[in-house]
Amino acid sequence: MYRPLPLFVGLRYIRARKRSQLVSFVSLISMLGIALGVLVMIAVLSVINASTTVMRDEMLKSIPHASLRVPEAFHDEGRLDGQWLDTVLGQEGVEGAAPYRQGEAWLQFRNAADFVQIRGIDPSLEVSLKSDGTLRLHQALTSLQEVPEGIVPGSALAGRLGLFPDERLDLTALDALTSRDGERTRSFRVLDVTDLGFYGNRDTALVSLAAAGRLFEGDRAAAELRLQLRMEEPLQTAAVLERLLAELPPADYDPVTWDQSQASLFNALRMEKRMTAFMLLMIVIIGAVNIVSTLVMVVADKRADIAILRTMGASRAGIMAIFVTQGMGAGLLGTMTGVLLGVTLTGQMDAITSGFDALINRWLAPDSVYMISHLRAELLWSDVWLVAGGALLISLLATLYPAWRASRVEAADVLRYE
């Protein structure tokens, strides 16, 4: 089978037993360095992916996947036009839709007070958006239908202010507070406390759509009726929304997707992932530096071989290809090892963290409780290929200078003293 001379010689150098133990050791260190860098990058990026997914899921418990402004022609006192709503729900990818009003208010309860986000909802339609909600949340939505002036705060908000079912509290819309209009203060009865997600629990409370209309009366921005949409696949929200707008009658819908409304947070998470990957890339670069050291020593050791190949007609490019092949051997082997170990570690992350958690709690800190078993990993193959490709590229770049130095060896100068 035909094999090009540079590839044949380069592979032979890789397989050959090296006379210098130092060269062998440095070559092994370079391979292990690249493998370790690839392993750590895949594992850490997978943990960041899982953390981002958890944050997104918790956030989408309190904010819609997308929202539209409902033109006045398609609603009457919060009740949506049936044909218009059927058009929305009939769009492929839309799982549910419900109207809402939202605004800020000043909540007073006994000696406690705080600014909160009040979301007015239609409980009968809101249930369609809570397919993954708890039974308690569904019961709270049902109670909002039965009590016109009821309120359901998030669990963290209720805990902070000491709110319990059947307690009464006062709400004042933000614009009424700034204008000192005390007559617009409304009294509400706490019906229940529920889980609105990690981010919604802190400052969000639910009331009925009619109650929100009375509370925010006069505040045009807060009283504006919007339609919240739940999509079958949150990551495809923008595409589904674009198709939906093409089917609806022309109007100013002011569409907003979840990634637009929370752009600052998710941009920060993406930047964190990039910076983390860049810092971990230093491990791969250190391994690549060892490839440079290995090849420099190999070139010094093989000067006579290089001179003989040059006298036999090997070109400078061919000499470069020989040492690039040899250097890429360590890079390729290290990358493949790192990918294999990284994917394996990511797949076993739950078991590893649970075992580590049990070890810490049982042996190292029996009087304390350390909870790390919740750590999750989400492997994206696009990250794996990107990390592997980056490691191979760095390995290739590391071989170029020593290979170039090998190609500049003058045969006459070397063989003169042989």
Side-chain angles (χ1 to χ4, degrees):
M1 182 176 65
Y2 171 74
R3 281 187 292 180
L5 178 65
L7 180 62
F8 175 78
V9 177
L11 294 176
R12 186 177 179 82
Y13 279 173
I14 293 174
R15 295 194 304 267
R17 185 181 301 274
K18 297 181 175 65
R19 289 175 294 175
S20 173
Q21 295 299 317
L22 178 61
V23 172
S24 300
F25 178 74
V26 174
S27 179
L28 177 63
I29 290 298
S30 64
M31 185 198 73
L32 292 179
I34 293 174
L36 178 63
V38 171
L39 162 65
V40 172
M41 286 183 68
I42 291 175
V44 171
L45 293 181
S46 297
V47 171
I48 293 176
N49 292 335
S51 300
T52 302
T53 299
V54 170
M55 294 177 70
R56 184 193 69 204
D57 293 343
E58 288 295 319
M59 183 170 292
L60 291 178
K61 289 182 180 180
S62 59
I63 67 171
H65 292 176
S67 68
L68 303 172
R69 189 181 71 84
V70 182
E72 295 182 0
F74 302 116
H75 74 90
D76 181 20
E77 295 183 357
R79 296 186 178 276
L80 300 177
D81 178 85
Q83 185 176 359
W84 185 82
L85 182 60
D86 289 342
T87 302
V88 173
L89 294 174
Q91 177 63 46
E92 182 181 359
V94 176
E95 195 174 70
Y100 76 99
R101 290 189 172 99
Q102 182 167 297
E104 291 189 50
W106 176 249
L107 186 152
Q108 293 176 291
F109 174 69
R110 296 180 183 174
N111 297 326
D114 203 352
F115 285 103
V116 295
Q117 286 281 343
I118 299 298
R119 179 181 287 263
I121 61 172
D122 183 340
S124 61
L125 294 176
E126 191 76 13
V127 174
S128 68
L129 304 180
K130 306 297 182 184
S131 59
D132 58 343
T134 62
L135 176 62
R136 185 167 184 176
L137 177 57
H138 289 173
Q139 292 173 341
L141 294 176
T142 302
S143 63
L144 276 178
Q145 284 183 285
E146 301 170 354
V147 183
E149 298 299 326
I151 185 170
V152 178
S155 56
L157 175 62
R160 187 169 70 250
L161 299 181
L163 302 175
F164 294 94
D166 293 327
E167 299 276 8
R168 299 201 70 86
L169 55 83
D170 294 327
L171 287 177
T172 306
L174 186 59
D175 71 316
L177 184 68
T178 55
S179 62
R180 301 180 182 275
D181 186 359
E183 295 182 359
R184 289 175 54 191
T185 297
R186 306 290 179 183
S187 179
F188 289 82
R189 179 162 69 91
V190 179
L191 302 179
D192 204 345
V193 176
T194 191
D195 177 22
L196 298 176
F198 181 79
Y199 296 94
N201 283 330
R202 293 179 297 178
D203 60 357
T204 303
L206 305 178
V207 299
S208 68
L209 198 59
R214 291 189 291 270
L215 176 66
F216 296 119
E217 184 180 5
D219 184 349
R220 184 174 181 82
E224 179 183 75
L225 186 68
R226 295 186 67 85
L227 185 73
Q228 55 182 324
L229 303 173
R230 180 180 179 84
M231 307 300 185
E232 295 174 0
E233 176 49 63
L235 297 180
Q236 300 297 324
T237 294
V240 175
L241 189 59
E242 184 178 355
R243 293 197 301 267
L244 173 61
L245 293 175
E247 298 293 329
L248 294 176
D252 179 19
Y253 292 107
D254 185 24
V256 178
T257 61
W258 63 269
D259 51 347
Q260 291 174 335
S261 64
Q262 304 297 323
S264 58
L265 173 62
F266 287 98
N267 286 339
L269 291 174
R270 281 190 287 268
M271 181 59 67
E272 178 186 16
K273 182 177 178 180
R274 294 191 187 105
M275 293 304 298
T276 301
F278 177 75
M279 289 185 289
L280 294 177
L281 193 63
M282 296 299 106
I283 303 176
V284 178
I285 292 176
I286 292 173
V289 169
N290 287 326
I291 292 179
V292 177
S293 304
T294 302
L295 288 182
V296 167
M297 289 187 286
V298 170
V299 169
D301 187 53
K302 301 290 186 182
R303 286 172 61 86
D305 294 354
I306 296 170
I308 293 172
L309 288 173
R310 289 286 290 137
T311 58
M312 293 175 64
S315 65
R316 294 186 186 275
I319 298 297
M320 280 192 68
I322 289 173
F323 289 96
V324 167
T325 300
Q326 183 180 4
M328 282 298 294
L332 181 60
L333 187 57
T335 300
M336 292 175 60
T337 303
V339 167
L340 180 62
L341 295 177
V343 171
T344 302
L345 175 64
T346 301
Q348 299 297 319
M349 187 68 72
D350 290 354
I352 293 173
T353 53
S354 296
F356 191 58
D357 183 46
L359 176 66
I360 292 178
N361 288 322
R362 183 174 180 180
W363 299 106
L364 303 182
D367 297 330
S368 304
V369 177
Y370 289 85
M371 295 298 295
I372 63 170
S373 58
H374 66 281
L375 188 65
R376 298 291 181 267
E378 180 181 333
L379 182 68
L380 295 181
W381 285 105
S382 57
D383 288 344
V384 174
W385 302 132
L386 188 62
V387 169
L392 290 175
L393 178 61
I394 291 173
S395 300
L396 174 63
L397 294 177
T399 65
L400 295 181
Y401 176 72
W404 177 80
R405 287 289 302 270
S407 70
R408 308 309 296 177
V409 171
E410 294 294 340
D413 294 338
V414 174
L415 297 178
R416 180 182 303 154
Y417 303 102
E418 291 294 331

